[in-house]
Amino acid sequence: MISIFKRCVLFSPCTLTLLSVILLINNNQVSASSHPVSPDFRAMSTNSLVTPQWLIQNLNKVRVIDATYMPADAYAAEHIPGAAHYAFDSAYFKSEYIKFDLYPPEVFQKYVRLLGVNNNDQVVIYSRGPASGMMFASRAYWTFKVYGFTNVNLLDGGLDAWKAAGGSTNNKVVIPDLGNVDIRALNPDILANFEEIPFNHFAEKKVDYLDARVPAQFTGQDPLSSTYPGTKATGSHVTGAINFPIAEVIGPNGFLSQQEVDAKIAKLGLTAGNQVYVACNTGIQASVIFTALERSGIKAKLYNGSMTELAYRAPELVNASGN
């Protein structure tokens, strides 16, 4: 496996682009007394975002990773100087029911070491494209955290925001020195698997299940069969799910302010003490919601299998439609 990764890194500029981690800062904070989300949630608030201006000033102090997934040649054409390419097709594998499945920690460790990540690095991740550049970056951010690497942040607004702030780019191939990062066991506090989620029993099991797909998919206006041909599911979402699409937390320049997101979360009716799960189609959009919830102080688990797994493994659970 390590030799495969080396070939990807050394001979394919599009495949090697991993971006690095940044220090944890808490900005955009409001007092607990004025916070629309319960103080029980607020105590866990973590802001993962850094601004382009901050990164411009600290570029030489952090490990930058470009997590662009589409288009395939985007990284090779242009990236932040020194950014390594985090290639989704190398960082994950497709299993029977999961499109972006997680490797054992020792395998992922080999990959991120090839990206030059060290134990003491501050890693800052960015991407470009959908959701103001935050969709694939958020997935990479969650992945680092699920493997136990916590000194990681996101560049708010992605590459477009970086360039708008006067940040430079180039197309120089980046081949980092081998890193020494130690990857730990998968963190069950932010990762959920199919077996643990009490489908059809959310209320009695004290669960809030957020579905980050677009409303048309959630309600069934866009039939599930159009995304998952051959599924035997009769509905468009699982019973008890709450639709919370990424458009609720993302604006034209990146994440909406924490105050705006807090207000939207407050309207969801989440219950303090409940276990919150986030899901979508493949776990990508759910990572954006995970990041927004984290900033607002709500601890959540991302269901990596999401609808891709449910549609074929347990279609009988996809038994509700409409709002």
Side-chain angles (χ1 to χ4, degrees):
M1 184 64 71
I2 185 71
S3 62
I4 293 174
F5 285 150
K6 283 182 177 177
R7 288 198 295 273
C8 291
V9 169
L10 296 178
F11 299 116
S12 175
C14 296
T15 309
L16 189 270
T17 348
L18 182 328
L19 177 37
S20 328
V21 54
I22 215 171
L23 84 95
L24 229 71
I25 53 176
N26 285 318
N27 53 14
N28 282 335
Q29 303 296 315
V30 293
S31 68
S33 61
S34 64
H35 201 280
V37 178
S38 165
D40 292 335
F41 293 132
R42 186 72 183 86
M44 299 181 289
S45 178
T46 298
N47 189 354
S48 63
L49 306 177
V50 296
T51 66
Q53 293 79 10
W54 188 96
L55 185 57
I56 288 172
Q57 296 173 3
N58 293 276
L59 187 60
N60 294 328
K61 301 176 184 178
V62 300
R63 173 78 53 189
V64 178
I65 295 173
D66 184 321
T68 300
Y69 182 50
M70 297 181 296
D73 60 351
Y75 167 78
E78 180 184 35
H79 52 263
I80 293 176
H85 187 214
Y86 181 91
F88 274 59
D89 291 335
S90 297
Y92 310 99
F93 71 98
K94 185 177 181 179
S95 61
E96 182 178 6
Y97 297 117
I98 301 176
K99 183 174 182 179
F100 298 106
D101 212 343
L102 301 171
Y103 283 109
E106 63 273 16
V107 175
F108 187 72
Q109 174 178 279
K110 292 176 182 179
Y111 180 60
V112 292
R113 284 184 175 183
L114 289 171
L115 295 170
V117 179
N118 297 300
N119 285 320
N120 60 348
D121 282 340
Q122 296 177 349
V123 173
V124 177
I125 302 177
Y126 75 93
S127 59
R128 68 199 87 188
S132 300
M134 301 314 300
M135 196 157 74
F136 300 110
S138 293
R139 170 63 187 216
Y141 165 80
W142 172 82
T143 303
F144 268 69
K145 295 198 74 171
V146 84
Y147 281 108
F149 192 101
T150 57
N151 196 15
V152 57
N153 288 80
L154 292 166
L155 174 62
D156 198 13
L159 187 64
D160 285 347
W162 167 262
K163 293 194 294 184
S168 64
T169 63
N170 63 32
N171 61 1
K172 183 179 179 181
V173 176
V174 177
I175 304 177
D177 294 333
L178 189 67
N180 64 13
V181 65
D182 294 315
I183 294 299
R184 307 168 190 170
L186 292 168
N187 181 1
D189 291 337
I190 61 173
L191 170 65
N193 57 40
F194 171 81
E195 289 80 7
E196 78 173 74
I197 303 175
F199 293 105
N200 287 327
H201 302 284
F202 291 160
E204 54 265 47
K205 297 296 184 179
K206 298 183 178 180
V207 161
D208 290 315
Y209 185 97
L210 301 184
D211 188 326
R213 293 176 300 152
V214 297
Q217 292 181 334
F218 182 84
T219 63
Q221 180 181 351
D222 180 1
L224 194 70
S225 58
S226 66
T227 304
Y228 300 104
T231 181
K232 296 180 180 179
T234 58
S236 57
H237 61 263
V238 300
T239 297
I242 302 168
N243 193 208
F244 194 46
I246 62 176
E248 294 293 310
V249 302
I250 294 291
N253 302 308
F255 278 91
L256 297 177
S257 71
Q258 182 177 327
Q259 291 89 337
E260 291 176 277
V261 174
D262 285 348
K264 293 185 177 186
I265 291 173
K267 294 179 181 179
L268 296 176
L270 304 184
T271 301
N274 276 14
Q275 174 62 62
V276 178
Y277 294 101
V278 291
C280 55
N281 281 320
T282 63
I284 302 294
Q285 295 173 87
S287 68
V288 178
I289 298 301
F290 169 89
T291 303
L293 293 175
E294 180 184 60
R295 184 179 60 163
S296 292
I298 298 176
K299 184 178 180 181
K301 292 188 177 188
L302 189 148
Y303 173 30
N304 197 31
S306 284
M307 188 57 74
T308 300
E309 182 170 32
L310 292 174
Y312 295 118
R313 179 177 180 176
E316 70 280 1
L317 296 177
V318 189
N319 49 19
S321 58
N323 295 320

